[in-house]
Amino acid sequence: MTAVTDQDRTEHPERSDRPDAEGGSPEAQEAKGGYAYRDDGHEGHEGHEGREGYDGYGDDTGDREGAGGPSKEPAPPAPWDDGLIARRGSRAAGTGSAGTGAAGTERFAVLEARKPAPQTVTPLVYDPPLLSRLDALHELVGLSRARLDSRTLAGAGRVLDEATARRRLSGQHTVVAIAGATGSGKSQLFNTLAGVVISETGVRRPTTAAPIACSWSDGAASLIERLGIPPRLRRRPLQAMADADDRLRGLVLVDLPDHDSAAVQHREQVDRVLAMVDAVIWVVDPEKYADAMLHERYLRPMAAHAEVMFVVLNQIDRLPGEAAEQVLDDLRRLLDEDGIALGEYGEPGTTVLALSALTGDGVDELREALGRFVAERGAAGRRIGADVDVAAARLRPVYAHRRWAGLSEEAREEFSDRLADAVGAGAAGEAAERAWLRNANRACGTPWLRLWRWCQDRGGPPTGKFPQRTQPDQEVTARQRVEQAVRTVSDRASQGLPAPWAQAVREAAVRGSQGLPETLDALAVRASLPPGRPPRPGWWPVAVLAQASMTILQFVGGLWLLGQIIGFMSPNLGVPVLLMVIGIVGGPLIEWSCRMAARGPARRHGQEAERRLREAAAGCGRARVLDPVAAELLRYREVREQYGRVVGAGAGVN
């Protein structure tokens, strides 16, 4: 009994230039129907590939028989006789190679002839919920590339790449890796499940130097090739064994190097393959099942993958009495502390079993569990779903750190008020109000008062105009107010955001605030006073006519008295004095009445001027600061919704 490869010999070039032991080059040996031996047995699994002359190609038995008789077989290795592990290895080698020859001396038997039949590979199909999560993760990464560094998004990118690559490959096969520490017996379990010695076992550590794959059905070549396993390390169980154990049809079993190997390249191969397989069988032994390296480096980080993991306690034949159950209970306790859900009482989770690959005790139970697991055809989807869960958990701090409020209307109004104060909108409104009152006084006041005010205006600064900031201290104060307003609104908007998005909001606000004080100054000049004359109320012409009438009465009364003095008119002091008194008293009275009546229109005029300036400042601040900040917040809201879809929390997360 032995394994056969699923690779045609014609697919590969000659693997050695060394002449065969019987003479001739490898080409000559092939022409005769024999082997082409290799001399690089230290690469990969040594006893498999070089030291025993194992070639790994199919259709060999018939070729060698047709060449004129049986070929030479390598001498059997010396039996192990140095202790318990040696005896276990010897027993395993004996059971694994039983029935391979009359003398029982073949460590690896001749390959069984088998022609690969053409197979139609059905690609993997993800269920709709997983597809929705993957689409959301893709959108999430795309929206976040400009805001997050590549290292933060690297894990999510790898998950998307792996999901895409796995989706193109066979959905009828399940790739299961057997991983374990040195001496745990994983290679022996691998051989036991395959029913034939495929992976070398022995006391020399590390024994397994490279991953080796065994497929129970056709169509898995692309899956194995994706794992980077060369054709010389790909095997198939005997046809009779594969047909007898139909439960494992669709299984691709991969034996990995030791995860605690002293060789760095071995550990790298373990990490690389574990990231691509559909499921993992962790093999532990009674001595190192609580190894901190196993739990901290592998099991605890893979807690989300509980449904696609098996944890097997091997070598229970070494435990007396009820010790196996006690060790198994302690192993379950450690797995529970690691956060790994255990598949007990019909619940989804990790399957924990105890067995002995040496004696076969418990192997059938594992075989049945593997058969059910493979028959479901859902391991690949669950593995990708678990990878998405892990990626989402790692991204949570950059998407859902705390409860977030956003940019409220109160913050917007406060920002606009601060900008209005910086440009002096209130002072501009008061100046416009005073200017309107002054114009009303000029139009409705007495000529004598207007003449006196005109003389005053010529000697003093102009009033009623928008004050231009020419002093350096005023300009510095205004700039500081603008900067303070920008800092306040950016802090309010970014409050509760994760650090990268809060930083993006603050940077958007700072970019928009560059040149904002100068722009506000220009707007203040244009918007402080409207073009043309201010609007006048309807009673203003009547008041002007009444004031002119009072002035005329004063002139008439004065001329009348002057005429009486020079004798031009008859003496009559009552009428001219009365006219003058009416004019003198009525003029100021009309002016006071107009001033009282002008307060309302003047106030409205000042408020309108202040409103225009406030709107101009608010519009400038909105275009340069608030809109960029709102765009960043909108982008964060979108990625927050996508992250909610990734974690399966609906439209968003808190």
Side-chain angles (χ1 to χ4, degrees), residues 222-367:
S222 57
L223 281 171
I224 302 175
E225 184 176 353
R226 175 172 172 259
L227 300 179
I229 300 177
R232 60 186 177 79
L233 297 178
R234 304 177 191 179
R235 302 289 182 266
R236 292 286 297 274
L238 288 174
Q239 182 66 31
M241 178 65 66
D243 293 341
D245 197 357
D246 193 60
R247 295 171 298 179
L248 300 183
R249 183 169 300 277
L251 173 65
V252 179
L253 201 60
V254 180
D255 185 22
L256 297 179
D258 303 330
H259 68 75
D260 60 349
S261 173
V264 178
Q265 60 271 25
H266 293 182
R267 299 196 301 268
E268 292 176 350
Q269 290 188 73
V270 172
D271 296 340
R272 178 183 60 83
V273 175
L274 285 180
M276 293 186 289
V277 296
D278 300 330
V280 185
I281 299 177
W282 291 102
V283 181
V284 298
D285 58 53
E287 295 177 353
K288 294 191 292 185
Y289 71 92
D291 183 35
M293 180 181 181
L294 171 65
H295 289 268
E296 294 177 3
R297 184 176 179 181
Y298 293 102
L299 294 181
R300 198 167 299 164
M302 295 183 67
H305 299 76
E307 294 186 36
V308 292
M309 285 199 307
F310 294 80
V311 179
V312 174
L313 176 63
N314 192 17
Q315 303 176 8
I316 59 172
D317 56 298
R318 298 172 54 189
L319 299 175
E322 299 180 354
E325 288 297 330
Q326 296 176 357
V327 173
L328 196 63
D329 291 341
D330 192 48
L331 176 60
R332 290 192 180 99
R333 177 187 63 81
L334 293 175
L335 295 177
D336 184 68
E337 292 178 357
D338 292 334
I340 298 177
L342 303 180
E344 299 176 339
Y345 311 108
E347 298 177 355
T350 297
T351 301
V352 183
L353 299 173
L355 55 82
S356 173
L358 180 65
T359 64
D361 186 18
V363 175
D364 287 340
E365 184 179 357
L366 174 61
R367 196 184 301 273

Side-chain angles (χ1 to χ4, degrees), residues 444-503:
C444 302
T446 61
W448 326 116
L449 185 59
R450 292 171 61 186
L451 180 62
W452 179 72
R453 287 175 177 170
W454 178 77
C455 295
Q456 279 189 331
D457 291 344
R458 293 192 62 182
T463 59
K465 298 181 181 180
F466 181 75
Q468 299 295 319
R469 290 193 298 268
T470 57
Q471 291 81 2
D473 56 344
Q474 292 179 339
E475 294 180 358
V476 171
T477 301
R479 183 179 295 275
Q480 291 176 348
R481 289 180 178 177
V482 172
E483 293 175 353
Q484 180 64 29
V486 172
R487 283 195 300 268
T488 301
V489 73
S490 62
D491 291 342
R492 295 273 303 268
S494 60
Q495 185 177 5
L497 288 178
W501 301 98
Q503 181 66 22

Side-chain angles (χ1 to χ4, degrees), residues 553-569:
L553 288 178
Q554 293 181 41
F555 274 101
V556 170
L559 293 176
W560 197 332
L561 287 178
L562 182 59
Q564 290 181 3
I565 292 174
I566 62 177
F568 181 74
M569 299 180 65

Side-chain angles (χ1 to χ4, degrees), residues 44-45 48 175-181 184-194 197-201 207-216 224 227 229 233 235 252-259 266 269-270 272-274 277 279 281 283:
H45 297 255
H48 232 91
V175 184
V176 181
I178 298 184
S184 60
K186 57 181 179 56
S187 296
Q188 192 173 44
L189 178 61
F190 180 80
N191 295 334
T192 302
L193 290 174
V197 177
I198 295 178
S199 184
E200 183 185 4
T201 61
T207 302
T208 305
I212 183 170
C214 180
S215 175
W216 266 254
I224 302 175
L227 300 179
I229 300 177
L233 297 178
R235 302 289 182 266
V252 179
L253 201 60
V254 180
D255 185 22
L256 297 179
D258 303 330
H259 68 75
H266 293 182
Q269 290 188 73
V270 172
R272 178 183 60 83
V273 175
L274 285 180
V277 296
I281 299 177
V283 181

